[in-house]
Structure formats: structure tokens, C-alpha cells
Amino acid sequence: MPPSIIPLIQYTLHPEMTVPQSPSEQDWYAIYEEAKRQALVGITFYGVQQLRKSHPECSMPDNLKLQWLSQAIQIQKRNESLDEHCRQLQKELSESGIRSSILKGQAMTQLYGDALSSLRQPGDIDILVDCGMERAIECAHSLGDANPQWDYKHLHLKRFKGIEVEMHYIPEILMNLRKNKRLQKWFEAHKEEMFAESNGLVTPTIRFNLFYILLHIYRHFLYEGVGLRQLLDYYFVLKAAHGRYFEETLSTLKEFGMIRFARGVMWIMKNIFLLEPKYLLCDPYEKEGRYILEQVMCGGNFGRHDKRLSEAPSGKIGSVYRIVKHNLHLLSHYPTDVLWAPVWIVWHWGWKRVKLFSVCHKREYY
């Protein structure tokens, strides 16, 4: 673990705490590199700013300061752009008679507060459409994308230059086919919670996100890798919930076999992000928390920096290889979900062949 990355995150979230020891010049570079790996450049820059104001002796090299500042400004500009594109896309969908909701990233920024919301490092736009797969594909055509790539969960919409849009017709999946069937029923039962007005954007409710964001983290942890940015999102979800809906969320987590993972995440919330006990969803589990944190620090944001997978080939074969190899070390922790991954890959291949035939047949018919 790079020197002082965790203390800097803690100071960013809790500026009233004791100031961390001033890093050396070499340490500052290591902290910055780890912030990039974890997609926390903007958030940690805020902590650096606060540290320099109150303790000017905590200095860093001037060239690194300018580089960090430049990255933070770019993050702020990209957030402004993404927010505007989210509003534009939701307006276009509404005019087409399709209800939509912004998921995850740009929905999470609203929970970060005035000081940090513009500094959360954004990714793509995830938007949920309440219309089903075939209508979503038709909608993509009407928005100018003649040949969108699609799968069971979403399609990739080429709508804005330099911005990837994932149009979801299913909010999330689990590769365990039995659990996934129950999960889709759960989403259907909680559909109205996915569409709530918030600061000009339609986003899910906090009640929905208590389960959904942790599910999103869990799925990435199992099959790709997850970083501190996604865990920090859940920190702010828990803060916004103020202890509400915890019992029903725990009941849902038990239904999907996620209690062990949730308890490990709560250890990270308490010991890494210093979340107050009243906001914890359940009792922390230190052993699992340390294991999850080890994987997070090893892989970085979405597991993209995991050197254990660096030899993976490119293309679809590489994607399958990465999933299977990533799963191996998780087998003893989450066997009921990990063992289903190869089954899902085969099942999805067959499902896609059937759907391709159906979609092409309808185009020819009409």
C-alpha cells in the first residue's frame, strides 16, 4: 500500500482529525499514483488543499502540485459536461415516451456534498430505461446509433462525442442464474424506487441504492475487481440514509447471500473511511474486510491495474480468461456465485444467439 494514501483519504473526509505526518517528496508521488489507480485524484486533491491551508509545512513538489491541480480541473469540467448530457439525454428519452433514471456515477455525485461533488472522478453515463431491450435498441437507432452493441443487461450508445453511454434495460445482474432470476423479480417489485426526482435529474431513491450500490460493488468485486471510488460511493449512501431502511436492506442482502461481503465492507467503512457506528449497516467483519481491502488495493479501479491478470489476451477470449482467473482466489469466500461464472458465460452465449435471430427476423419482417 503506497505511503499515507489511507490517512489522506481519512483527512479529506474528516478534516477535524489529527493531521497525518507530512509525506516526503517520494511519498507524495506514490500517493498521487495510488490516487490515479483508485480513481480518487479529485477527492484527494481536496484533502491536499485543506492540508496546505491549515499546515503549510506539508508541502509537495511544485510540478506535482500543478499536475494534480490540472487533473482536478479536468475532473470538474467533465462532471459539468456529464451532468448536462444526462439532462439532455433524459429530456430526449422523455420526449420519446420513455421513462429513464441515471444510475451510479452521476447519481452518486449528488451525495458527496458541495465541496466534493464536482471532484468525484466520473466514468461513463449509466442510464436505466423503462422500456425493455427491443425498444431500447429501437431508441438507440432513433438517437443516431445504427449498430449499438448490446447484451443481456444494456447496450452501448454512441450519442455524445468522447462520452460512453450505457443504456440499461436491466439495472444489474448476478451470474448465479438462480439468484439472478430472483434479482430481476426484486427489481420489478421495487421499480418505482428507481425513478425519483433529484436536483434536476431522475435517479433512484436512497432506499433503493442501499441495496443496489452494494450489489453493484459486489458484482464487480466478484467478476472484474473494484476500487476505493466505488466503496467511497457507498460511504455517502450510508451517510445519506441516516440509519433508515437498514432492516429491510439486511433482509434483502441475506436473501442474496451477501451478508459476509456486507460485513467486510462495513469494516472498511469503519476503519478506512472512519464512518460513525450509527451509520453502519451491520456488524463489521474484520477478517473479510481486510481480505476485500487487499483485493481493492491490488487491483485498483475496476481491477484494471491487477498485475495478476496482465498476461490476459485481448478480445472476448481475454474477457473470459480474466473473469475465470479473477474468480479463482475468490472461490473459498463466495463459492455459490463464483462457480456460476462459467455457466453464465455459456448461457449468455446461447441467449445472445437466440436474441440476434429474433431481432434480425423482426427487422426483415417490418
Side-chain angles (χ1 to χ4, degrees):
M1 187 182 299
S4 302
I5 182 68
I6 298 302
L8 179 59
I9 294 171
Q10 292 172 342
Y11 183 76
T12 301
L13 298 175
H14 309 279
E16 73 283 356
M17 67 176 286
T18 303
V19 177
Q21 183 178 356
S22 179
S24 67
E25 179 175 321
Q26 184 178 0
D27 286 348
W28 273 122
Y29 281 104
I31 291 169
Y32 178 69
E33 288 302 316
E34 184 61 22
K36 288 199 297 182
R37 291 179 76 253
Q38 299 294 340
L40 288 175
V41 170
I43 297 298
T44 51
F45 178 74
Y46 179 81
V48 168
Q49 282 185 308
Q50 299 306 110
L51 194 60
R52 289 178 59 233
K53 286 179 183 177
S54 58
H55 296 272
E57 71 275 10
C58 293
S59 59
M60 68 170 65
D62 289 339
N63 61 334
L64 178 60
K65 187 191 312 177
L66 291 174
Q67 187 176 355
W68 215 326
L69 171 62
S70 174
Q71 288 293 311
I73 291 172
Q74 289 182 38
I75 288 169
Q76 289 175 321
K77 289 181 177 179
R78 180 146 178 104
N79 272 312
E80 291 176 6
S81 175
L82 286 177
D83 285 344
E84 181 57 36
H85 284 104
C86 283
R87 286 188 286 269
Q88 180 182 340
L89 186 55
Q90 288 202 310
K91 182 181 178 182
E92 291 174 349
L93 290 168
S94 179
E95 290 171 350
S96 299
I98 297 176
R99 185 165 63 157
S100 67
S101 179
I102 301 298
L103 302 176
K104 298 173 287 189
Q106 294 313 108
M108 289 294 100
T109 61
Q110 301 181 43
L111 305 180
Y112 273 59
D114 294 339
L116 295 177
S117 60
S118 66
L119 290 169
R120 181 194 179 275
Q121 197 160 323
D124 50 23
I125 293 176
D126 290 271
I127 187 164
L128 176 69
V129 289
D130 186 19
C131 65
M133 185 191 74
E134 292 184 4
R135 178 79 191 281
I137 294 173
E138 292 174 3
C139 181
H141 294 161
S142 70
L143 291 173
D145 194 341
N147 189 31
Q149 294 181 345
W150 52 272
D151 57 25
Y152 175 83
K153 182 175 68 170
H154 53 39
L155 61 81
H156 295 272
L157 178 67
K158 298 180 182 68
R159 180 66 182 87
F160 306 114
K161 186 177 180 181
I163 297 174
E164 183 176 352
V165 177
E166 291 188 353
M167 182 181 286
H168 292 248
Y169 23 88
I170 290 177
E172 189 53 274
I173 63 163
L174 285 170
M175 288 188 179
N176 182 322
L177 290 171
R178 293 177 180 175
K179 285 186 181 182
N180 188 61
K181 187 175 181 179
R182 295 202 311 269
L183 180 63
Q184 302 317 315
K185 290 181 179 179
W186 188 91
F187 284 137
E188 187 63 29
H190 295 80
K191 178 181 283 190
E192 294 309 311
E193 294 177 31
M194 303 182 204
F195 303 93
E197 191 73 30
S198 179
N199 295 331
L201 293 177
V202 178
T203 64
T205 64
I206 288 297
R207 183 180 184 181
F208 181 84
N209 277 334
L210 271 173
F211 171 63
Y212 173 66
I213 296 300
L214 189 59
L215 172 70
H216 174 65
I217 294 170
Y218 182 60
R219 200 262 299 172
H220 274 289
F221 180 75
L222 288 179
Y223 307 124
E224 299 170 67
V226 72
L228 286 175
R229 182 186 65 172
Q230 288 72 40
L231 289 166
L232 188 59
D233 285 346
Y234 201 61
Y235 166 89
F236 285 105
V237 170
L238 290 168
K239 291 276 285 187
H242 292 290
R244 298 171 296 165
Y245 319 121
F246 278 13
E247 287 188 14
E248 61 187 86
T249 302
L250 283 172
S251 177
T252 305
L253 292 171
K254 288 177 183 177
E255 179 184 353
F256 292 101
M258 291 173 57
I259 287 295
R260 176 176 179 156
F261 182 75
R263 291 186 62 200
V265 169
M266 288 310 105
W267 182 87
I268 293 173
M269 294 295 137
K270 179 182 178 182
N271 293 277
I272 303 304
F273 298 141
L274 306 182
L275 184 63
E276 300 94 316
K278 65 181 179 180
Y279 294 120
L280 295 177
L281 188 61
C282 53
D283 292 334
Y285 181 15
E286 180 177 354
K287 183 178 179 180
E288 195 63 21
R290 289 188 181 279
Y291 172 74
I292 294 170
L293 181 63
E294 180 184 352
Q295 305 310 313
V296 166
M297 301 307 293
C298 180
N301 191 46
F302 288 132
R304 291 168 183 156
H305 305 278
D306 194 335
K307 294 180 180 179
R308 296 170 296 185
L309 305 177
S310 59
E311 72 277 16
S314 59
K316 291 184 179 180
I317 293 176
S319 297
V320 173
Y321 174 89
R322 282 188 288 272
I323 290 173
V324 173
K325 186 167 183 180
H326 177 76
N327 279 175
L328 290 177
H329 65 84
L330 297 167
L331 191 58
S332 62
H333 291 256
Y334 307 101
T336 58
D337 288 305
V338 167
L339 288 172
W340 275 91
V343 179
W344 171 274
I345 292 168
V346 174
W347 175 87
H348 189 270
W349 181 88
W351 174 89
K352 185 71 179 282
R353 303 284 80 72
V354 172
K355 288 296 181 181
L356 277 170
F357 176 80
S358 175
V359 170
C360 291
H361 178 73
K362 286 187 176 182
R363 280 190 187 178
E364 291 175 5
Y365 181 80
Y366 288 108

